[in-house]
Amino acid sequence: VESLSGSAAGDMEQSETVKTSGPPSWFLVWCYERSFKQECEQIKNAIEELVTPLGGELLRFKKAKTYETWATRSEHTDYILVTDGREAKPCVR
């Protein structure tokens, strides 16, 4: 994941995953303000258990703006975006 400056870096965290060999071939991008909260820990772990064996990696963003920054700077084009109603509209602009 590229280095982001300012508040964008504070809104993004690459999830800790058990790596398979080599870099991930795709990402599941979870854009949800509460994705870093303890209440979402079980969901995060379940997603990672599904994604990692398939060669993917989970990325979490709190806000659509941070996702947008990642998407415009990233060379990765293979990803699935999962978000809630609050962030959906800004994510698809």
Side-chain angles (χ1 to χ4, degrees), residues 50-61:
L50 294 170
V51 169
T52 303
L54 298 172
E57 186 173 319
L58 173 63
L59 295 180
R60 296 179 291 164
F61 299 97

Side-chain angles (χ1 to χ4, degrees), residues 69-87:
T69 302
W70 173 82
T72 57
R73 291 182 181 182
S74 177
E75 296 177 7
H76 303 287
T77 57
D78 297 329
Y79 62 90
I80 298 168
L81 175 63
V82 178
T83 189
D84 65 349
R86 171 180 258 176
E87 299 297 326

